[in-house]
Amino acid sequence: LPELPEVETIKEGLRPKLAGLRILGAEVLRAGAVKAPPPEDFCRGLAGNRILGVERRGKYLLFPLEDGRHLIVHLRMTGVLLWDGGDVPYVSARIALEGGHRLVFQDRRRLGALWLVGDPGEVVGGLGPEPLGPEFTLEAFRERLKKRSAPIKALLLDQHFLAGLGNMYADEALFQARVHPLKKAKTLSQAETAGLYRAIKEVLSRGIARGGASVDTYRLPDGGKGGAHLVFQVAHRRGLPCPACTTPIERIPLRGRGAYFCPKCQKITSN
Ligand SMILES: [Zn+2]
């Protein structure tokens, strides 16, 4: 949290506001939030620069700047970018913009990260394909799955395998495709692979259409909430009835995190 639909929503919300604005100054309140360069160079590099636009790669936000560099933001668990945000707690960084505007990076868990780099590939170069982009084809998905014996959900969360999916939308896609989260990737049938491929695109598109999921601290740049969690079928719904068969949704541990699924609809030996 936040995942691709949340970051995409933030990108779309900020772009019309930020594109073309000059940065008057930047202030880093938590030095650890800036991964590169050192915070003083980070602030100096931003001051006077102009923001040309807002882009997204996986769960990263990229802000191309007039001098050719990129400001990059990763929200991690609890990061929020507030447009003209007032005096809020847990602020990691603040950017003052022309016109009296400001962009506030609020981050309760303090895991979010900022970069100012010449080449965005330094930060996002290792990411897998965009699930809604043209390079993520069914054939490519099938090809990449068949070599892997990891649990399918672990693979979906691996940002080098596919960029942008997290816990919530991986659980939703696996449920929609009726695939057990612990099923070994290479044992998925042709039909399961095709179903999962379609489901990934559908749950992400649905998430974007609803402005992302405000299960926890995710907020839109204006402070409002998204509505994607209101149509979740299994994610964060432990003990509630499966929408397909009414069996209570279960949560099982998976590599230090959890996977929500329906034990009846998502059998590990479905084929
Ligand atoms: Zn079910």
Side-chain angles (χ1 to χ4, degrees):
L1 223 190
E3 305 177 24
L4 188 155
E6 288 73 39
V7 180
E8 178 69 17
T9 300
I10 293 166
K11 181 200 89 181
E12 287 296 313
L14 287 178
R15 188 161 54 190
K17 297 178 164 68
L18 281 179
L21 281 193
R22 190 171 295 284
I23 297 169
L24 300 181
E27 192 185 357
V28 174
L29 288 86
R30 184 176 73 80
V34 180
K35 302 305 173 191
E40 55 273 23
D41 296 338
F42 175 85
C43 293
R44 207 175 302 131
L46 287 179
N49 228 323
R50 191 183 292 278
I51 298 175
L52 301 181
V54 189
E55 297 162 3
R56 181 192 58 74
R57 181 74 176 93
K59 303 179 197 173
Y60 292 81
L61 284 162
L62 291 82
F63 304 80
L65 303 171
E66 192 175 36
D67 73 348
R69 286 189 280 181
H70 282 73
L71 167 66
I72 301 182
V73 178
H74 196 301
L75 302 168
R76 304 267 185 229
M77 292 287 286
T78 59
V80 178
L81 281 175
L82 295 169
W83 172 254
D84 287 347
D87 290 321
V88 290
Y90 310 108
V91 172
S92 288
R94 254 194 300 259
I95 295 174
L97 300 148
E98 62 182 335
H101 296 294
R102 61 179 181 166
L103 191 62
V104 175
F105 185 29
Q106 183 192 34
D107 190 10
R108 282 170 197 277
R109 294 278 294 272
R110 302 164 161 252
L111 297 167
L114 302 156
W115 295 261
L116 176 64
V117 291
D119 173 15
E122 290 172 34
V123 180
V124 298
L127 293 176
E130 283 290 323
L132 298 177
E135 74 272 39
F136 182 58
T137 62
L138 174 57
E139 216 29 66
F141 187 46
R142 203 188 297 284
E143 206 48 43
R144 305 189 76 182
L145 282 181
K146 75 180 185 194
K147 302 172 199 136
R148 309 293 293 263
S149 50
I152 182 62
K153 178 161 177 198
L155 210 49
L156 294 182
L157 296 182
D158 178 353
Q159 300 300 298
H160 302 291
F161 181 80
L162 190 62
L165 273 183
N167 249 331
M168 301 183 297
Y169 295 96
D171 284 344
E172 289 297 297
L174 287 164
F175 173 75
Q176 186 171 316
R178 303 295 191 260
V179 174
H180 193 288
L182 298 185
K183 186 160 183 154
K184 284 185 178 182
K186 63 183 180 188
T187 68
L188 263 68
S189 69
Q190 296 266 334
E192 284 174 326
T193 302
L196 182 57
Y197 173 80
R198 205 165 45 239
I200 288 168
K201 289 176 175 279
E202 286 176 10
V203 299
L204 292 174
S205 300
R206 205 150 59 219
I208 293 168
R210 290 186 164 257
S214 286
V215 170
D216 193 2
T217 54
Y218 162 74
R219 292 292 181 275
L220 293 127
D222 66 1
K225 291 187 177 191
H229 54 293
L230 303 174
V231 292
F232 278 168
Q233 308 218 279
V234 293
H236 295 274
R237 294 179 55 81
R238 183 187 204 165
L240 293 170
C242 165
C245 75
T246 75
T247 302
I249 300 301
E250 289 183 8
R251 183 178 183 276
I252 47 168
L254 174 68
R255 298 195 175 171
R257 305 172 76 182
Y260 295 90
F261 75 113
C262 171
K264 192 171 170 195
C265 293
Q266 293 164 271
K267 298 279 194 205
I268 203 152
T269 52
S270 57
N271 52 344

